Amino acid sequence: MSALPAEDPINPYRTHPGGGPRTVTQLRAALVAASSADREEFEADFGDLDLDDPEEYAALVRKWRHRLVMRTRPEILAAVAASTNPDAPRYTSEEILGEAGR
């Protein structure tokens, strides 16, 4: 199994909820490979986790799987790079949404 959350074949910016690292050890390894700063922040979050709150644990896993996707998916990295390009075209919400935005 890949250490990255599984892509949705229709939309590579979405992931399957159960995709990616399946254990804390796998998540740690994937995070350290992507960013040592992320790994340190994860450890701080994990250290503050309330072990009696399964929802808090699930939210922590979702947060860090999402961060992993943001740091490792080529499509997302390219989109972020393009968004910071000062020569890239800019659009207003009206131009994007048109009638749907009203």
Side-chain angles (χ1 to χ4, degrees), residues 4-8 14-22 58 61-62 65-66:
L4 298 177
E7 288 181 11
D8 179 325
R14 295 234 180 240
T15 59
H16 299 290
R22 303 296 299 165
V61 169
R62 280 190 304 274
R65 280 182 171 166
H66 180 255

Side-chain angles (χ1 to χ4, degrees), residues 93-102:
S93 56
E94 178 64 30
E95 290 171 318
I96 294 169
L97 300 173
E99 293 295 318
R102 293 183 183 167

Side-chain angles (χ1 to χ4, degrees), residues 65-99:
R65 280 182 171 166
H66 180 255
R67 177 84 60 97
L68 186 59
V69 167
M70 296 299 290
R71 298 270 195 252
T72 57
R73 291 278 184 229
E75 303 91 347
I76 293 173
L77 294 172
V80 169
S83 74
T84 61
N85 178 352
D87 298 324
R90 304 286 187 235
Y91 303 97
T92 66
S93 56
E94 178 64 30
E95 290 171 318
I96 294 169
L97 300 173
E99 293 295 318

Side-chain angles (χ1 to χ4, degrees), residues 29-44:
L31 286 170
V32 79
S35 166
S36 59
D38 281 353
R39 166 69 189 271
E40 291 173 18
E41 190 177 338
F42 168 77
E43 292 299 337

